[in-house]
């Protein structure tokens, strides 16, 4: 079964977003799923009204298959199904996954001729779909929950009248969904609340306690925080019924049995707390009551016929003379109970009190379900958002790593090219250099011989004299030694260029080695020599070198040259439109910087360490503060599209700070130019040292 495509992404890459458009799609998908869950339609029984609309769609379109489906995060689930035995399909092969991305009817006249679906298992295997037409079910908020669609086993088309009818039916489906919106718990709450209200309307008189208790039921029903619901319940019930103690407890499974835990309590100050301290005998009595979901009503424990004498004594010792237990069971299957008790006097629990408290426990169970459902929905949304953020961060790290590898490969290729060019230049230069000395000796001998001829034969024949005059023999004999001397100077200059090129490439220095920093800077300037002539306005660029006394610095020479290349290139770009003496100033100095060294587990010591400092300054336009703060961020650039990747300074920062444990910073003011400060230790710092820069 092939990997179905989603917007050009395979299902295995479905959440590996790499563009702002795809990130926006993910955010919209999280919101869409949240909206879908609010309708509470997934995995629910069939709805006759929706089935009627589905059947009507099949009849109007004369299609053997019609569906109302909802697209979950990883599946397509059929709420209403005419003509198909499946109840759901994986999302990545669902036709409807394409439909929910549309705003109008989505039609596939012949699936075999559509490259998006020709290899789909629903086409190549059972049920061998050949035709599809679907309309997205769009909420008032603009989210597509699923589709109303029709399918056929043969290729075909729909008339415009059928398409309009299909769209109209999709609006009717959404109308039914809106009418049925809300969870089963909310419908139960509405029903029970209506019943209670009807009962109270029918009664001519309504006691104050009953009215307040009904308000309490409404309050707890509208809360979404579990602790707030339970604590409000026990506090208000105790105050309204004027009981000495009201508590809520959960019946939790433990080792095949039930264990009771009191979680919330409201009581008189002098009574002992029963939170997490419920006696075993009392617990057994309550466990049996809760398991059977039976109301336990004891007006006076001293005369209750079904209580053992030991239980009567225990309850009396706990300050319980009368007790009323109302069990509850949540929709998710959890058991709990509200327990009210009196301490000193017997209390006759009236029928109205029991009835109203029963209604409150029903409301409480629904409110607990509502809170649990809300927590689950929020957890799902949070998980999706967390996953999205994780994928975004992972994607950014991957992009940064890939870009760094590309940049490293480019610099490596440049180094190889420079080394190759230097090698190729060196061979003919060696040949020229080796032969210039011989040529100098030969010419010197010839000139000496010529002088002897002129001395002993001062009167040459006319033909020789004419030739001498024609070639200006006197000038040649005077200028030829100077010409040879200039050639030697030129060869020596070529030698210097070759050495500089080799010094820049540093292909044989992958490890840290002591190097001359000034040679690295000079080599970089040589590579950039062509760009250093003039800017775009024709102004000559000037480079001022203010080198101090630096020892050999142990570093990764090739990588450090890459830093010089990045910063000097940026400086040249910054001077592109400077009209008044565009200048780059490079200065170096040796500086002592204090670092913190760990001598043992507890003792830390501040020691001075020599550092090489290289400052590169331009007199360009400078930068704003907000630009400086983002300068070393990956992919940040102020250059036009196509001129900068935003990686040069980020990679330079890693080379200086992470590889060399140094410091790279930038200071700039608008209109005042920019200066980059590079600071690295002369010798590598041990792992136990922290820089105090």
């Amino acid at each position: 079964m092939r990997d179905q495509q989603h917007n050009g992404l395979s299902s295995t890459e479905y959440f590996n977003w790499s563009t702002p458009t795809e990130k926006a799609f993910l955010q919209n998908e999280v919101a869409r799923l949240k909206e879908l869950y609010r309708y509470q339609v997934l995995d629910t029984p069939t709805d006759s009204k929706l089935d009627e609309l589905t059947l009507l769609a099949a009849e109007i379109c004369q299609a053997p298959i019609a569906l109302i489906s909802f697209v979950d995060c990883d599946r397509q689930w059929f709420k209403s199904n005419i003509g198909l035995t499946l109840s759901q399909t994986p999302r990545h092969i669902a036709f409807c996954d394409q439909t929910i991305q549309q705003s109008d009817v989505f039609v596939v006249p012949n699936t075999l001729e559509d490259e998006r679906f020709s290899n789909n298992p629903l086409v190549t295997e059972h049920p061998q779909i050949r035709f599809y037409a679907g309309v997205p079910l769009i909420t008032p908020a603009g989210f597509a929950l699923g589709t109303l669609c029709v399918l056929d086993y043969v290729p075909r088309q729909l008339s415009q009248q059928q398409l309009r009818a299909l769209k109209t039916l999709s609006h009717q489906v959404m109308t039914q969904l809106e009418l049925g919106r809300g969870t089963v718990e909310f419908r139960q709450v509405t029903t029970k609340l209506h019943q209670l209200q009807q009962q109270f309307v029918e009664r001519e008189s309504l006691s104050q306690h009953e009215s307040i208790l009904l308000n309490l039921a409404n309050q707890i029903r509208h809360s979404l925080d579990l602790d707030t619901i339970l604590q409000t319940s026990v506090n208000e019930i105790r105050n309204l019924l004027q009981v000495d103690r009201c508590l809520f407890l959960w019946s939790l499974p433990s080792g095949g049995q039930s264990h009771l835990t009191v979680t919330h309590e409201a009581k008189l100050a002098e009574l002992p707390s029963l939170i997490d301290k419920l006696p075993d005998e009392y617990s057994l009595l309550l466990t049996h009551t809760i398991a059977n979901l039976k109301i336990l009503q004891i007006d006076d424990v001293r005369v209750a016929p079904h209580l053992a004498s030991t239980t009567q004594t225990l309850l009396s010792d706990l300050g319980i003379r009368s007790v009323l237990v109302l069990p509850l069971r949540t929709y998710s299957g959890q058991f709990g109970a509200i327990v009210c008790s009196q301490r000193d006097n017997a209390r006759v629990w009236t029928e109205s009190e029991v009835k109203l408290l029963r209604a409150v426990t029903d409301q409480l169970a629904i409110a607990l379900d509502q809170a649990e459902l809300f927590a689950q929905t929020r957890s799902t949304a949070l998980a999706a958002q967390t996953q999205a953020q994780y994928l975004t961060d992972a994607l950014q790290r991957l992009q940064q790593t890939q870009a760094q590898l590309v940049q490293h490969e480019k610099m490596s290729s440049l180094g190889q090219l420079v080394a190759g060019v230097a090698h190729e230049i060196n061979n003919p230069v060696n040949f020229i250099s080796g032969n210039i000395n011989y040529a100098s000796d030969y010419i010197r001998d010839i000139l000496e011989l010529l002088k002897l001829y002129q001395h002993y034969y001062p009167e040459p024949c006319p033909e020789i004299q004419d030739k001498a005059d024609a070639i200006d023999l006197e000038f040649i004999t005077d200028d030829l030694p100077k010409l040879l001397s200039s050639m030697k100077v030129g060869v020596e200059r070529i030698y210097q260029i070759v050495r500089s090129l080799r010094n820049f490439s540093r292909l044989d220095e992958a490890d840290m080695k002591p190097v001359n920093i000034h040679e690295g800077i000079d080599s970089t300037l040589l590579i950039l020599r062509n760009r250093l002539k003039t800017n775009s306005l024709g102004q000559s660029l000037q480079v001022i070198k203010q080198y101090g006394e630096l020892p050999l610095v142990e570093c990764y020479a090739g990588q450090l040259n890459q830093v010089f290349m990045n910063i000097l290139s940026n400086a040249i770009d910054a001077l592109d439109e400077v009209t008044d003496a565009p200048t780059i100033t490079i200065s170096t100095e040796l500086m002592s910087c204090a670092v913190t060294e760990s001598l043992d587990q507890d003792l830390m010591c501040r020691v001075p360490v020599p550092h090489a400092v290289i400052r590169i300054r331009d007199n360009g336009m400078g930068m704003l503060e907000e630009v400086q703060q983002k300068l070393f961020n990956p992919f940040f650039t102020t250059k036009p599209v196509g001129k900068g990747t935003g990686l040069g300074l980020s990679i330079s920062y890693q080379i200086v700070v992470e590889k060399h444990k140094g410091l790279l910073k930038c200071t700039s003011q608008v209109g005042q130019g920019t200066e980059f400060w590079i600071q690295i230790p002369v010798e590598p710092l041990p792992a136990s040292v922290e820089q105090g820069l």
Side-chain angles (χ1 to χ4, degrees):
M1 188 176 296
R2 83 179 181 95
D3 200 13
Q4 181 68 20
Q5 297 293 313
H6 298 267
N7 293 333
L9 298 175
S10 68
S11 61
T12 56
E13 298 170 330
Y14 193 63
F15 290 109
N16 289 335
W17 313 100
S18 61
T19 68
T21 300
E22 292 164 351
K23 293 176 184 177
F25 178 82
L26 176 58
Q27 294 172 350
N28 184 71
E29 178 65 7
V30 171
R32 189 192 71 82
L33 290 174
K34 184 177 180 181
E35 184 77 358
L36 172 62
Y37 299 151
R38 289 179 63 188
Y39 279 81
Q40 292 294 299
V41 292
L42 294 176
D43 299 314
T44 57
T46 59
D47 187 312
S48 60
K49 295 185 182 301
L50 295 180
D51 288 343
E52 291 174 0
L53 293 173
T54 308
L55 181 59
L56 185 57
E59 292 176 351
I60 292 175
C61 297
Q62 297 180 356
I65 302 173
L67 306 169
I68 293 178
S69 69
F70 295 100
V71 181
D72 203 352
C73 61
D74 59 354
R75 61 170 179 157
Q76 173 187 230
W77 180 77
F78 304 140
K79 172 67 174 177
S80 181
N81 186 335
I82 301 297
L84 197 63
T85 58
L86 300 174
S87 62
Q88 64 182 27
T89 62
R91 176 172 178 175
H92 71 273
I93 66 172
F95 286 72
C96 295
D97 190 33
Q98 291 284 343
T99 305
I100 65 172
Q101 301 175 39
Q102 315 297 325
S103 60
D104 204 346
V105 182
F106 179 63
V107 180
V108 183
N110 189 341
T111 57
L112 291 178
E113 295 178 354
D114 193 317
E115 62 179 10
R116 295 171 295 181
F117 305 105
S118 58
N119 293 325
N120 191 298
L122 296 176
V123 175
T124 59
E125 303 171 13
H126 179 78
Q128 296 185 336
I129 301 301
R130 294 293 181 270
F131 167 78
Y132 172 89
V135 186
L137 301 176
I138 301 177
T139 69
F143 294 101
L145 306 181
T147 68
L148 169 64
C149 61
V150 293
L151 303 92
D152 208 335
Y153 303 113
V154 295
R156 52 175 297 190
Q157 287 282 4
L158 293 181
S159 67
Q160 290 299 319
Q161 184 178 5
Q162 288 172 322
L163 292 175
R164 288 194 298 270
L166 197 60
K167 291 174 64 176
T168 301
L169 289 176
S170 72
H171 298 157
Q172 293 300 318
V173 171
M174 278 308 306
T175 300
Q176 289 299 322
L177 291 176
E178 287 294 329
L179 291 176
R181 183 176 180 172
T183 63
V184 174
E185 291 82 1
F186 287 153
R187 290 195 294 271
Q188 292 176 346
V189 168
T190 302
T191 300
K192 290 189 176 294
L193 182 59
H194 177 72
Q195 292 173 351
L196 287 174
Q197 290 174 339
Q198 187 64 31
Q199 292 171 5
F200 284 115
V201 168
E202 294 173 353
R203 294 173 56 177
E204 294 182 358
S205 60
L206 187 63
S207 69
Q208 181 181 7
H209 281 184
E210 292 170 340
S211 177
I212 297 176
L213 207 53
L214 181 59
N215 290 333
L216 171 62
N218 288 330
Q219 291 177 16
I220 63 175
R221 180 175 61 84
H222 287 95
S223 178
L224 293 175
D225 181 72
L226 188 60
D227 282 334
T228 301
I229 291 171
L230 296 177
Q231 193 60 54
T232 300
S233 299
V234 295
N235 288 340
E236 294 301 323
I237 291 174
R238 176 180 173 271
N239 292 334
L240 295 174
L241 298 186
Q242 294 297 302
V243 294
D244 297 335
R245 187 200 305 268
C246 179
L247 56 85
F248 178 84
L249 54 84
W250 285 111
S251 178
L252 304 175
S254 177
Q257 297 181 348
S258 296
H259 174 71
L260 298 187
T261 299
V262 178
T263 59
H264 297 80
E265 181 182 51
K267 63 179 183 64
L268 294 176
E270 60 268 24
L271 291 178
S273 175
L274 295 182
I275 292 182
D276 295 331
K277 298 177 183 179
L278 200 63
D280 292 340
E281 293 85 350
Y282 193 22
S283 179
L284 288 174
L285 174 64
L286 297 177
T287 298
H288 178 74
T289 301
I290 295 172
N292 293 298
L293 293 176
K294 299 292 185 181
I295 297 176
L296 176 62
Q297 179 180 338
I298 303 177
D299 297 337
D300 190 344
V301 299
R302 300 178 183 179
V303 297
H306 56 282
L307 290 180
S309 58
T310 54
T311 304
Q312 292 176 344
T313 302
L314 171 68
L315 294 177
S316 298
D317 293 341
L318 291 174
I320 298 175
R321 178 74 178 272
S322 299
V323 63
L324 177 62
V325 182
L326 296 99
L328 62 85
R329 180 182 181 181
T330 67
Y331 186 76
S332 60
Q334 292 181 298
F335 290 85
I338 290 286
V339 181
C340 298
S341 60
Q342 287 289 109
R343 176 179 61 173
D344 297 326
N345 301 317
R347 173 163 180 164
V348 177
W349 305 100
T350 65
E351 181 180 353
S352 62
E353 289 175 335
V354 174
K355 189 174 182 180
L356 287 174
L357 283 179
R358 176 72 272 178
V360 170
T361 56
D362 290 342
Q363 299 287 329
L364 181 58
I366 294 171
L368 294 176
D369 285 329
Q370 178 180 334
E372 182 179 0
L373 179 62
F374 174 76
Q376 291 174 353
T377 303
R378 185 170 57 180
S379 177
T380 301
L382 181 61
Q385 292 173 349
T386 302
Q387 179 70 3
Q389 185 61 44
Y390 171 78
L391 291 173
T392 301
D393 294 342
L395 178 61
Q396 185 176 4
R397 290 194 298 270
L398 177 61
Q399 289 176 326
Q400 182 178 353
T401 302
Q402 289 174 336
Q404 289 173 356
L405 290 175
V406 171
Q407 184 74 2
H408 182 271
E409 184 65 23
K410 287 169 61 179
M411 292 303 298
S412 176
S413 300
L414 176 62
Q416 293 176 1
L417 175 63
V418 168
V421 170
H423 177 73
E424 293 300 322
I425 294 175
N426 203 41
N427 288 333
V429 168
N430 284 334
F431 172 78
I432 295 172
S433 176
N435 287 295
I436 280 182
N437 292 329
Y438 293 112
S440 297
D441 293 340
Y442 296 160
I443 290 173
R444 184 179 63 251
D445 292 341
I446 291 173
L447 291 177
E448 289 176 354
L449 178 61
L450 179 62
K451 289 180 180 179
L452 287 175
Y453 269 106
Q454 289 175 337
H455 177 72
Y456 289 104
Y457 301 98
E459 297 297 332
C461 66
E463 184 177 359
I464 293 176
Q465 185 63 46
D466 291 342
K467 183 64 176 178
D469 293 339
I471 65 174
D472 197 354
L473 180 61
E474 183 178 354
F475 173 77
I476 290 177
T477 55
D478 181 63
D479 191 60
L480 189 57
K482 299 178 182 178
L483 182 64
L484 288 173
S485 177
S486 298
M487 292 173 65
K488 289 182 180 180
V489 172
V491 169
E492 181 60 30
R493 176 57 183 156
I494 295 176
Y495 270 133
Q496 293 175 359
I497 293 174
V498 170
R499 283 196 298 269
S500 296
L501 291 174
R502 285 183 169 179
N503 179 58
F504 177 80
S505 64
R506 298 283 188 177
L507 292 181
D508 58 341
E509 298 185 12
D511 297 328
M512 297 188 80
K513 290 184 178 181
V515 298
N516 187 323
I517 293 294
H518 296 154
E519 288 183 359
I521 298 174
D522 291 340
S523 301
T524 306
L525 290 172
L526 178 65
I527 299 297
L528 297 171
R529 184 176 180 180
N530 187 59
R531 295 188 61 196
L532 286 168
K533 293 180 179 179
T534 59
N535 62 12
S536 62
L537 301 179
Q539 297 292 318
S540 298
L541 271 67
Q542 183 180 8
V543 177
I544 300 176
K545 294 188 285 188
Q546 300 173 344
Y547 292 167
E549 294 293 332
L550 288 182
L552 296 181
V553 177
E554 193 165 351
C555 62
Y556 297 99
Q559 295 185 21
L560 205 57
N561 287 341
Q562 182 179 351
V563 174
F564 298 150
M565 174 71 78
N566 290 334
I567 295 177
L568 285 170
S569 295
N570 287 341
I572 294 172
D573 291 338
L575 298 175
D576 196 44
E577 297 184 357
V578 174
T579 58
D580 185 16
T583 304
I584 297 175
T585 304
I586 306 172
S587 61
T588 62
E589 63 178 308
L590 187 66
M591 176 182 292
S592 180
C593 176
V595 299
T596 303
E597 183 175 2
S598 175
L599 301 181
D600 54 36
Q601 186 173 2
D602 300 318
L603 183 60
M604 306 294 288
C605 180
R606 298 277 289 178
V607 295
V609 173
H611 283 67
V613 176
I614 305 97
R615 290 183 293 171
I616 301 175
R617 179 176 180 82
D618 64 70
N619 62 342
M621 298 303 296
M623 292 178 285
L624 297 172
E625 178 65 28
E626 52 265 30
V627 175
Q628 295 183 55
Q629 293 176 356
K630 302 176 183 178
L631 206 56
F632 300 110
N633 293 348
F635 307 109
F636 175 78
T637 180
T638 58
K639 297 178 182 179
V641 176
K643 292 200 64 176
T645 63
L647 286 172
L649 291 180
S650 174
I651 294 174
S652 299
Y653 186 86
Q654 291 183 341
I655 291 173
V656 174
V657 177
E658 298 179 12
K659 298 279 287 189
H660 291 87
K661 294 186 178 179
L663 173 67
L664 176 60
K665 65 180 181 179
C666 172
T667 56
S668 180
Q669 291 183 359
V670 176
Q672 300 295 321
T674 301
E675 180 179 271
F676 282 89
W677 176 294
I678 306 168
Q679 179 175 322
I680 59 172
V682 173
E683 296 181 353
L685 297 176
S688 60
V689 167
E690 296 181 0
Q691 294 238 47
L693 304 177

